[in-house]
Amino acid sequence: MKFPEEVFSSQRFREQGAAVIELIANCMEDSISEKQNKVIEMTDPESAMREVQQWFNRCTVDDSKDVSKLFADIYQRTIRLHHPGYLGHQISPPLPDAALAALFSDFLNNGMGVFEMGIAGTAIERFVVKSLAKKMGFPESADGFLTSGGTLGNLTALLAARRAKAVGDVWESGVNRKTALLVSAQAHYCVDRSARVMGWGAEGVVKVPVKEDFTMDVEQLELTLQTARAEGLEVIAVVGSACSTATGTFDDLEGIGAFCQQHGLWFHVDGAHGAASVYSKQYADRVKGLHLADSVVMDFHKLLMTPALATAVLFKEEKWAAKNFAQKAEYLWDDANHVDDWHDLAKRTFECTKSMIALKVFTILAVHGERVFDENVTTLYRSASEFGGLLERAEDFELATLPQSNIVCFRFTPKGEHDLDLLNRKVREELLSTGEFYIVQTTLRGQVWLRTTIANPFTKISHFENLIDEIRRVGNGVFVD
Ligand SMILES: Cc1ncc(COP(=O)(O)O)c(C=O)c1O
């Protein structure tokens, strides 16, 4: 193809686009209907590399240069989130309209760092952020932005916490004190990573013990704080998990909020997964007290059917959205100290060039309304609770804790003397190789547990019954072999 005319040909795009959309529609249909019976077709990394070489070779000699053929090959080795047997890590099957928004945004490729590089995208982002802040019960003045993932979102919020609460100006003078935050032992690893990135070292994350249901034991906060201070740590924040990654259970945000207020600490909520509960009329009380937070992170790609990555970082006080990174960049804007320019997003986010993340969320809201978020969150939480009920009633299964969100942890515990850790590990391995269900595993109380995230509104009680039967079949086979 001649560059640039043929490579950028709108006619070719029209034809290829139609073929790709047809392919995607078929993939979605076949997954949802389970005509495509596998969620995953597992292989080893070296074989995957060999296949990539084959796809590449096939494409280079194919005169049609048909990208839909290439994508059809690739689809065979991707995990299929629209399949009802997808019960793995926390990511949503995207709404088709949101996937189209992602395609449109990828075509536009607006840089978004400064207003003129993303006029619509910047205003849309503000619309999304303001409407989410309102939904979370924050005052009108609350503000924030969207960024690329909960991991980066949590780091950004914690940088603001440091700026707000740490003694001295770390931004200018660097780290010279032993700063720390308090967080439950069940928090996502990115909180620990953030503390280390900020130069606080391993000591910078002080673990608060958890209760039976794996939520923070708020009663232990006072003692944990006093002990940390006695050890010379300057504790500046408490991070609540809403919910925790492994078990999907929610810390007591009202309790943590009151504690932070009493001690003048920054209250950050890692709501990457479960802050989306605010959209569910039935389950919004899971995040009671969220509005007490100084900052909140929420992923749209975990529960809200938005293609990854789409994360909101919100601050109760607008100034922290604006003041976090005060830096000069003369080629981008005239006066970096003029902090309230909400429309120059590179002043607020870690990123400089930034994709039009908000378009994906805005499209869902504009076309389907908040109702679709409510329906998804409510359906998934309800399904998880039904699945939990099945497991509770089954004598050969044990539930780690009653599900509070769409995450359910359990293990297969047949009668007899078995190494249950080994058994459950083997069960997962076998499920992964047969590929009709995709589930993951975690370690709780030093034991191996199977872990599911109900991500798909098409997953029904019959799927859970089949999964339980399949685990029994596979698990019982482990001892025969
Ligand atoms: C509670 C929590 N926080 C943060 C993250 C990280 O989010 P992301 O994968 O969007 O970086 C996760 C991901 O599973 C999570 O569950």
Side-chain angles (χ1 to χ4, degrees):
M1 276 180 270
K2 195 161 159 247
F3 184 83
E5 295 80 4
E6 288 177 21
V7 177
F8 279 86
S9 152
S10 51
Q11 187 51 30
R12 175 178 155 77
F13 184 71
R14 229 170 247 124
E15 288 162 11
Q16 289 292 303
V20 169
I21 296 294
E22 184 61 21
L23 170 74
I24 295 175
N26 289 337
C27 293
M28 185 167 65
E29 221 165 70
D30 291 352
S31 282
I32 291 175
S33 68
E34 295 170 76
K35 186 170 155 197
Q36 162 62 265
N37 69 338
K38 293 200 175 188
V39 187
I40 184 167
E41 297 188 44
M42 196 53 191
T43 187
D44 61 275
E46 294 310 319
S47 306
M49 282 302 298
R50 279 193 294 278
E51 272 180 318
V52 168
Q53 189 63 55
Q54 286 163 10
W55 301 333
F56 184 83
N57 295 348
R58 212 150 47 223
C59 196
T60 49
V61 297
D62 175 9
D63 288 339
S64 72
K65 301 294 173 211
D66 183 346
V67 291
S68 74
K69 282 195 206 160
L70 177 64
F71 294 169
D73 279 341
I74 293 171
Y75 184 64
Q76 297 313 313
R77 285 287 177 219
T78 64
I79 192 146
R80 298 168 191 130
L81 305 188
H82 293 84
H83 191 292
Y86 177 82
L87 295 159
H89 292 288
Q90 305 140 265
I91 187 151
S92 270
L95 272 188
D97 288 331
L100 289 177
L103 171 66
F104 188 48
S105 136
D106 280 358
F107 164 72
L108 296 171
N109 220 18
N110 283 195
M112 300 267 304
V114 289
F115 181 59
E116 63 261 32
M117 280 302 295
I119 302 167
T122 305
I124 286 172
E125 180 162 321
R126 190 152 182 88
F127 178 98
V128 167
V129 161
K130 286 288 184 182
S131 87
L132 178 62
K134 192 168 170 199
K135 196 80 199 163
M136 288 183 173
F138 283 118
E140 189 71 21
S141 55
D143 208 346
F145 43 80
L146 302 189
T147 195
S148 301
T151 301
L152 186 58
N154 279 315
L155 172 62
T156 313
L158 292 170
L159 283 166
R162 182 175 72 175
R163 203 135 199 194
K165 296 290 181 186
V167 173
D169 187 349
V170 180
W171 189 251
E172 287 302 325
S173 322
V175 180
N176 56 12
R177 296 171 67 85
K178 291 163 90 179
T179 313
L181 54 80
L182 309 186
V183 69
S184 101
Q186 284 295 320
H188 190 263
Y189 71 82
C190 70
V191 174
D192 179 88
R193 185 177 284 186
S194 297
R196 290 171 196 261
V197 167
M198 289 189 287
W200 302 356
E203 279 186 313
V205 175
V206 180
K207 297 281 167 67
V208 185
V210 293
K211 299 191 294 189
E212 266 294 289
D213 63 358
F214 304 95
T215 63
M216 182 188 284
D217 187 351
V218 176
E219 303 274 297
Q220 302 282 332
L221 269 172
E222 184 68 46
L223 179 63
T224 314
L225 176 65
Q226 296 318 331
T227 311
R229 283 184 173 160
E231 285 166 3
L233 294 169
E234 182 197 10
V235 176
I236 61 157
V238 183
V239 178
S241 301
C243 48
S244 76
T245 307
T247 59
T249 49
F250 291 82
D251 285 352
D252 167 9
L253 303 183
E254 281 185 318
I256 304 174
F259 180 82
C260 286
Q261 232 155 26
Q262 186 192 343
H263 292 275
L265 299 171
W266 183 276
F267 177 25
H268 173 63
V269 175
D270 177 3
H273 186 90
S277 309
V278 291
Y279 286 106
S280 166
K281 286 184 203 76
Q282 187 178 344
Y283 294 104
D285 67 347
R286 294 281 191 267
V287 286
K288 209 155 50 150
L290 185 65
H291 66 286
L292 300 173
D294 294 294
S295 54
V296 178
V297 158
M298 189 198 84
D299 282 349
F300 287 94
H301 54 270
K302 287 195 169 30
L303 270 162
L304 301 176
M305 301 169 292
T306 307
L309 295 162
T311 299
V313 183
L314 299 187
F315 296 93
K316 187 193 288 162
E317 282 189 67
E318 190 269 345
K319 68 176 175 189
W320 296 117
K323 262 177 78 169
N324 209 0
F325 307 107
Q327 278 181 307
K328 283 200 188 309
E330 285 82 359
Y331 55 91
L332 283 177
W333 48 77
D334 264 353
D335 177 13
N337 296 323
H338 190 65
V339 289
D340 52 359
D341 282 346
W342 63 266
H343 45 79
D344 287 331
L345 287 166
K347 285 185 179 177
R348 301 185 156 210
T349 60
F350 211 101
E351 297 130 304
C352 176
T353 303
K354 188 163 99 100
S355 66
M356 256 171 113
I357 300 168
L359 183 64
K360 298 179 277 189
V361 180
F362 183 72
T363 304
I364 299 177
L365 286 172
V367 174
H368 300 284
E370 269 183 21
R371 190 177 58 88
V372 84
F373 285 162
D374 181 358
E375 283 178 354
N376 199 52
V377 174
T378 305
T379 302
L380 300 181
Y381 283 23
R382 226 179 253 158
S383 289
S385 140
E386 284 172 4
F387 184 31
L390 283 182
L391 292 162
E392 236 189 339
R393 289 190 292 278
E395 285 185 354
D396 48 353
F397 281 85
E398 188 185 345
L399 251 188
T401 185
L402 281 179
Q404 295 179 10
S405 61
N406 60 332
I407 296 174
V408 187
C409 293
F410 60 97
R411 50 193 220 146
F412 182 44
T413 54
K415 283 206 174 71
E417 296 279 311
H418 307 300
D419 177 343
L420 291 177
D421 284 355
L422 181 67
L423 171 63
N424 282 279
R425 236 183 234 123
K426 289 259 179 219
V427 163
R428 184 183 115 82
E429 271 170 27
E430 192 56 32
L431 290 181
L432 189 58
S433 74
T434 47
E436 284 170 29
F437 290 97
Y438 178 69
I439 69 170
V440 293
Q441 73 183 46
T442 188
T443 302
L444 302 169
R445 306 184 193 111
Q447 300 169 325
V448 174
W449 294 76
L450 301 174
R451 177 172 172 274
T452 51
T453 305
I454 324 305
N456 189 326
F458 291 98
T459 307
K460 305 283 179 239
I461 193 101
S462 56
H463 294 104
F464 300 129
E465 288 165 348
N466 291 343
L467 173 62
I468 288 176
D469 285 346
E470 184 63 4
I471 292 175
R472 284 189 180 122
R473 190 187 68 75
V474 168
N476 292 328
V478 168
F479 301 117
V480 176
D481 293 344

